[in-house]
């Protein structure tokens, strides 16, 4: 019983930001919504249950007991991703080749 139990009200923003960083380093896309809950955006809807198990394992290892979310990608997420890809292709075309 050496571990302190935290109630949800005692979970600090720094704990949530730490978890956001750890999940990001693990390869997940993490966002903090208006509710300040770290939410993992899965790459595909089919991966949600598999990702959820892996995320729970990471959170358990970090002793994080606060709220978190997992969601499927939205159509707007796909638009943003494709726009970023289009912009990076434009940037590649604008950079002159060395040599």
């Amino acid at each position: 019983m050496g571990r302190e139990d935290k109630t949800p009200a005692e979970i600090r923003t720094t704990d949530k930001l730490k978890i956001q960083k750890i999940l990001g380093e693990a390869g997940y896309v993490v966002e903090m919504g208006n509710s300040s809950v770290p939410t993992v955006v899965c790459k595909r809807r089919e991966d949600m249950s598999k990702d959820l198990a892996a995320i729970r394992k990471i959170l358990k290892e970090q002793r994080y007991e606060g709220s978190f979310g997992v969601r499927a990608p939205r159509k707007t997420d796909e638009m943003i991703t494709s726009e970023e890809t289009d912009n990076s292709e434009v940037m590649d075309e604008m950079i002159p080749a060395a040599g």
Side-chain angles (χ1 to χ4, degrees), residues 5 10 12 94:
D5 292 330
E10 294 174 336
R12 297 183 312 240
M94 295 175 66

Side-chain angles (χ1 to χ4, degrees), residues 20-58:
Q20 181 182 16
K21 180 180 178 189
I22 290 169
L23 290 172
E25 290 172 351
Y28 295 102
V29 176
V30 185
E31 63 183 20
M32 294 285 273
N34 294 337
S35 61
S36 298
V37 174
T39 303
V40 175
V41 181
C42 296
K43 293 181 175 142
R44 297 179 344 168
R45 180 178 304 274
E46 296 82 19
D47 295 338
M48 285 181 62
S49 60
K50 179 184 73 162
D51 287 346
L52 180 60
I55 291 164
R56 282 187 175 160
K57 181 180 177 186
I58 292 170

Side-chain angles (χ1 to χ4, degrees), residues 1 8 11 14 16-18 34 39 45 58 73-74 86 90 92-93 96 99:
M1 295 237 202
I11 302 295
T14 54
K16 294 176 184 180
L17 293 173
K18 177 184 169 188
N34 294 337
T39 303
R45 180 178 304 274
I58 292 170
R74 298 180 186 131
D86 293 343
V90 170
D92 290 342
E93 293 173 7

